[in-house]
Amino acid sequence: MELTQLKYFLEVAKNEHVTQSAKNLCIVQPALTQAIHKLEDELGVSLFKTSGRNIKLTESGKYFYEQLQPIYNEMMALPKRLQEVANQQNNNIKLNVLAASALFTNVVIEYKQTHPHINIDMIQNEETDLSDFCVRTFSAYKPELDSFKSDELFVRSEKIFLAVPNTAKYKKMDSISLFNLGDEKFIRLYGSKQYRKICNELCEKIGFKSETTFESDNSTAIKEAVAGGIGVCFWPEVSWGKMDHKKVKLLEITDTEFKRDIVVSYRRNKQNSTHTDEFYNFMLGYDAKKRWKKKNV
């Protein structure tokens, strides 16, 4: 059965009049009659019977009409529903933030102020690749070693400072060697965060070992701990925001280049990438207002 045959049948069944149905369908009457006969042959039953000069549905025809009409209506509604689903998907952006979550939360908040109709889902899942964007971090990003597939990406570098209590001990310092910290203990990110791994790598690179006194998964809590004299910490200059606490001071580390690369990978996996392209360009423009150092890859 062809969809056109079903359409013709439903029209004739509704009107029980071939001539009027042919006019409604904008086809000639012989073509309509032939299509109905062909459908009956394929089904192996008579769908109509003559009644004087008119036609009527047979019992088989009535049953076929009652069963077919809702199915046909559903089929006709499918294109619109598919478009609605596509529009919903196009209006939904999935952002997998494995690093610099505080920064990219601010990015999303600012973007939503001018694009309230766009839904942005922020996730943190190292096991999935089902996202439009993925934010990762490396001590030194090397694209040739990256197995993550993306259509586009941009890389930004940020310095990592040492956050210390703003006390007399550090008052006149602008920089410091980690080996001159004495018995200072470190405040670190809790768990296996990518940023913590990078800080560990940089310390191992210069042979520096430290003792951890406090762990937290919140940069604000870490800042308050430093201000309270509990210990010192590594502070990324951009992604954790400007140091606005009067009791905390940032010192440049002199032992090696303490920095990290933040990589935003973009996968165009939608039929219409207009909104994801707009958000990608927004992120590019957003970081231009910060103290990023662009790294060519």
Side-chain angles (χ1 to χ4, degrees), residues 94-270:
K94 192 173 291 292
L95 178 64
N96 192 8
V97 185
L98 303 178
S101 58
L103 171 64
F104 282 90
T105 298
N106 291 332
V107 171
V108 170
I109 291 172
E110 187 168 329
Y111 185 78
K112 288 281 289 181
Q113 290 175 355
T114 53
H115 300 77
H117 61 291
I118 302 298
N119 181 49
I120 301 178
D121 295 328
M122 294 183 67
I123 62 173
Q124 289 184 320
N125 188 343
E126 294 187 0
E127 303 301 322
T128 184
D129 57 1
L130 299 177
S131 62
D132 300 298
F133 302 96
C134 186
V135 183
R136 298 168 295 151
T137 187
F138 303 84
S139 57
Y141 178 68
K142 297 179 180 179
E144 65 274 13
L145 300 180
D146 190 2
S147 60
F148 189 88
K149 295 180 180 179
S150 59
D151 297 306
E152 282 192 51
L153 61 81
F154 67 85
V155 182
R156 297 293 183 268
S157 295
E158 65 174 341
K159 277 187 176 182
I160 297 174
F161 288 87
L162 185 70
V164 299
N166 194 12
T167 58
K169 179 179 179 179
Y170 300 108
K171 200 76 172 179
K172 296 182 180 180
M173 291 185 179
D174 293 318
S175 60
I176 192 171
S177 167
L178 296 180
F179 296 97
N180 293 334
L181 285 173
D183 59 355
E184 287 280 16
K185 295 181 180 180
F186 272 75
I187 303 166
R188 299 185 184 276
L189 277 179
Y190 177 78
S192 58
K193 301 277 188 179
Q194 291 183 351
Y195 175 61
R196 176 167 179 163
K197 291 180 181 179
I198 288 172
C199 292
N200 290 341
E201 289 175 7
L202 291 169
C203 289
E204 290 173 5
K205 179 180 178 182
I206 60 174
F208 176 75
K209 295 182 179 180
S210 63
E211 184 178 347
T212 300
T213 184
F214 176 69
E215 292 181 328
S216 175
D217 60 358
N218 184 283
S219 60
T220 300
I222 291 176
K223 178 169 59 177
E224 292 298 332
V226 173
I230 295 176
V232 299
C233 78
F234 294 117
W235 188 274
E237 63 170 335
V238 177
S239 55
W240 280 16
K242 182 180 179 181
M243 178 54 71
D244 54 1
H245 204 303
K246 293 181 179 179
K247 294 185 179 181
V248 180
K249 184 174 184 177
L250 297 183
L251 302 179
E252 188 168 350
I253 301 169
T254 60
D255 303 293
T256 187
E257 185 182 17
F258 262 73
K259 59 91 179 176
R260 69 165 173 171
D261 293 338
I262 292 179
V263 180
V264 179
S265 300
Y266 176 20
R267 285 178 170 171
R268 287 188 174 86
N269 50 21
K270 290 183 171 64

Side-chain angles (χ1 to χ4, degrees), residues 1-30:
M1 291 180 291
E2 297 177 359
L3 192 59
T4 302
Q5 290 176 307
L6 301 180
K7 176 183 177 181
Y8 288 176
F9 164 75
L10 290 172
E11 184 66 25
V12 177
K14 180 177 69 174
N15 299 312
E16 291 189 326
H17 197 287
V18 177
T19 303
Q20 184 59 47
S21 298
K23 289 181 180 180
N24 295 344
L25 294 168
C26 299
I27 62 172
V28 295
Q29 182 175 329

